[in-house]
Amino acid sequence: MRSLRAVSLHTPRATESAEFYSEVWGLTPVERGDGAAWLRGTGQEHHILELHEAERNALGKIVFSVGDRREVDTAARRLAAHGTRPLAGPGVLDQPGGGYGLRFADPEGRLVELSCEVEAVVPGDPEGRAAIPRKLAHVVLNTVDIDAACAFYTQVLGMRISDWSEHRMAFLRCNNDHHAIAFNQAEWTSLNHVAYEMTSIDHFMRGIGRLRHHDRLPLWGPGRHGPGNNTFSYFADPAGLVCEYTSEVDQVQEDTWLCRTWRRTPALSDLWGTAGPPSTDVRTRMAGIPDPGHRGTPA
């Protein structure tokens, strides 16, 4: 896998959420459908967020990019060798942005897509002046078995563990970014939050300021995490799902990086000391609701 490309969210408030992510959060709509919307950042990805109307909040899918069709086909064979049957593909993807890829469910039922040849777009802010997200930074997932989740994503999908937060969180990478996904040990499987990368800490702070002008105050932050060393400020979208602005994530040098285990303390969850520990409200929102996923269902 080359990078985290996009995330799809299901919500009963898709229309309101699409307005929030375009008019307040800073993404640009690229396509709309029946109860669905696709939005992009300022980077080259066709879209980084999909929203679909549904009865309840849930993770739709996580999308990773791969280099070419050969890598997609190789991934399909590796998945089959581990007993994971694709739900769709390998083949041409019938979706906005197109592409060639495959979809499958991970051991907890999350739908994962690997794709290549997806339509690219011209960067939306080539001079990098706008305080709006450049790309999807990471997705944090609640898991009932952090060891099994890490084993699947490292042994089958080829990701690498950058750091641990005790034995409660694991941060996994697929390129030099410290983490593209993270797993949080929890009581049920669900989406924890989605993070969007701002170009710099100045863009990060100006983005927070824009949300304040829209009467949107952070649930937690601004601050700077220990694992990943990235800045953070968490908000809630109209559906109650947690979204994050972040910047300055650690860049991993493979030959010298040492995976470490961080203690779970307020001082390490916020190195600046500006945000304090997450409140009960933040933890409840990040816990979400149980998500049965796509076990055995068509993609």
Side-chain angles (χ1 to χ4, degrees):
M1 296 190 297
R2 304 295 180 90
S3 65
L4 177 63
R5 168 167 277 156
V7 64
S8 170
L9 304 178
H10 291 180
T11 169
R13 303 182 69 176
T15 300
E16 279 185 75
S17 293
E19 292 176 356
F20 166 79
Y21 283 107
S22 61
E23 297 177 10
V24 180
W25 198 247
L27 303 183
T28 301
V30 288
E31 294 200 38
R32 292 186 184 273
D34 184 17
W38 290 259
L39 302 99
R40 60 165 294 194
T42 61
Q44 294 183 340
E45 291 290 356
H46 177 271
H47 63 273
I48 62 174
L49 174 64
E50 296 179 38
L51 297 167
H52 294 271
E53 190 73 26
E55 293 183 357
R56 53 186 288 171
N57 287 341
L59 176 67
K61 66 180 177 181
I62 308 171
V63 184
F64 295 95
S65 69
V66 298
D68 53 33
R69 295 190 177 201
R70 182 179 61 181
E71 291 186 21
V72 172
D73 297 339
T74 298
R77 291 192 292 270
R78 174 180 277 186
L79 287 162
H82 284 81
T84 300
R85 179 179 60 86
L87 299 173
V92 175
L93 298 172
D94 181 15
Q95 62 182 11
Y100 180 90
L102 71 118
R103 300 187 187 113
F104 57 92
D106 76 5
E108 290 183 272
R110 303 179 192 87
L111 186 64
V112 180
E113 177 182 297
L114 306 180
S115 60
C116 65
E117 299 178 7
V118 174
E119 179 185 345
V121 294
V122 176
D125 180 29
E127 296 182 353
R129 294 178 177 175
I132 55 181
R134 185 170 70 89
K135 66 174 186 176
L136 201 62
H138 60 260
V139 179
V140 175
L141 306 165
N142 296 320
T143 176
V144 298
D145 190 337
I146 196 169
D147 292 319
C150 288
F152 180 83
Y153 278 77
T154 56
Q155 297 171 18
V156 181
L157 299 185
M159 300 189 78
R160 300 171 295 284
I161 298 177
S162 297
D163 281 316
W164 288 86
S165 178
E166 296 186 359
H167 197 225
R168 301 290 301 176
M169 286 193 75
F171 301 85
L172 284 71
R173 67 185 186 274
C174 58
N175 51 34
N176 293 123
D177 289 344
H178 180 269
H179 57 287
I181 60 171
F183 287 106
N184 177 63
Q185 183 67 43
E187 295 183 27
W188 53 70
T189 300
S190 62
L191 175 68
N192 186 290
H193 71 268
V194 178
Y196 300 80
E197 182 183 290
M198 307 296 272
T199 304
S200 70
I201 193 169
D202 178 72
H203 293 76
F204 167 79
M205 292 302 295
R206 288 194 287 123
I208 295 171
R210 184 182 61 254
L211 265 76
R212 284 182 174 274
H213 287 311
H214 285 86
D215 296 322
R216 299 276 184 166
L217 300 179
L219 298 174
W220 184 32
R224 185 181 287 276
H225 286 313
N229 196 43
N230 53 298
T231 64
F232 69 86
S233 192
Y234 297 90
F235 298 84
D237 71 12
L241 296 170
V242 178
C243 46
E244 176 192 3
Y245 278 161
T246 189
S247 67
E248 298 188 344
V249 65
D250 266 343
Q251 295 298 293
V252 171
Q253 301 301 317
E254 293 292 344
D255 294 338
T256 59
W257 186 266
L258 294 176
C259 177
R260 61 182 291 191
T261 300
W262 295 74
R263 291 183 297 114
R264 291 176 69 86
T265 65
L268 296 178
S269 66
D270 175 23
L271 299 178
W272 286 346
T274 54
S279 66
T280 300
D281 177 59
V282 170
R283 293 185 182 278
T284 299
R285 289 176 183 270
M286 288 182 171
I289 58 176
D291 186 349
H294 293 258
R295 293 180 181 88
T297 60

